[in-house]
Structures are given as C-alpha cells and as structure tokens.
Amino acid sequence: MGIIIKPIVTEKLTAQGEKLGRYGFVVERKANKLQIKEAVEKMYGVSVADVNTVNYHGKKKARYTKAGILRGRANHFKKAYITLAGEDKIDFYSNI
C-alpha cells in the first residue's frame, strides 16, 4: 500500500487550497515528512514547500442496542497538511 491513503476534502481545506495552496491527506501512520513530500510530488506532479503532520488517536465509541452496550473505538490515523510551492494546484475532482 502507498504512503498516501486518501485526500481530505472538506469545506475548510478546499478554501485553504484555493487561497494558500494547502491540501490535506490521510497518510500511512509510519510515514515521515520526507516520504510524504516525495509521494505527493510523484503522484500529483507538483512541488511541495512544507509538510505538517498530525497523529490522531481513535476515539472510544459505544452503541446501545437490544443486546446491550457494544463498546469499541475508531481507528488511529495520521493526517498530513501539504503546502505547495509557487502557483501549483491539485485538482481532486478531475477524474470523477
């Protein structure tokens, strides 16, 4: 599996992408900033100026059912915020 799992497409990050050239991705948890930078440059053909990462710990969840309470947690994941250099852009909607 690759380093980049999926892009994060939210209203906030779409606005930042248009104004600041900043995009978000869910990435492999063991990937470092240099690996993420190389993967984005290779996949989208852009030049990356900056990479910021955030590790998310999965939240505990509980569901109340007829059989009782089902407990568990959401998965852990890592986000990477990529700032592109110059006038580069990434279009997530080009192949829909």
Side-chain angles (χ1 to χ4, degrees):
M1 184 162 198
I3 291 175
I4 298 172
I5 296 172
K6 65 181 180 179
I8 301 170
V9 183
T10 60
E11 202 171 323
K12 183 177 182 179
L13 276 174
T14 303
Q16 284 186 359
E18 292 169 3
K19 288 182 183 174
L20 306 173
R22 188 171 296 146
Y23 300 91
F25 297 93
V26 175
V27 296
E28 194 67 39
R29 287 183 62 205
K30 294 184 179 180
N32 62 33
K33 292 182 182 187
L34 295 175
Q35 293 170 330
I36 294 166
K37 179 180 178 178
E38 288 174 10
V40 170
E41 287 177 345
K42 185 177 172 185
M43 183 179 274
Y44 293 103
V46 294
S47 58
V48 175
D50 193 28
V51 178
N52 299 96
T53 59
V54 181
N55 282 304
Y56 278 88
H57 187 73
K59 294 180 181 178
K60 289 186 178 178
K61 304 272 187 174
R63 254 188 339 189
Y64 299 95
T65 64
K66 289 181 182 178
I69 300 172
L70 297 175
R71 297 181 194 275
R73 64 165 181 77
N75 291 333
H76 305 299
F77 61 96
K78 185 176 196 173
K79 282 186 188 179
Y81 295 108
I82 310 297
T83 305
L84 300 181
E87 296 295 318
D88 287 346
K89 297 242 183 256
I90 296 175
D91 187 15
F92 295 127
Y93 304 108
S94 62
N95 57 1
I96 291 178

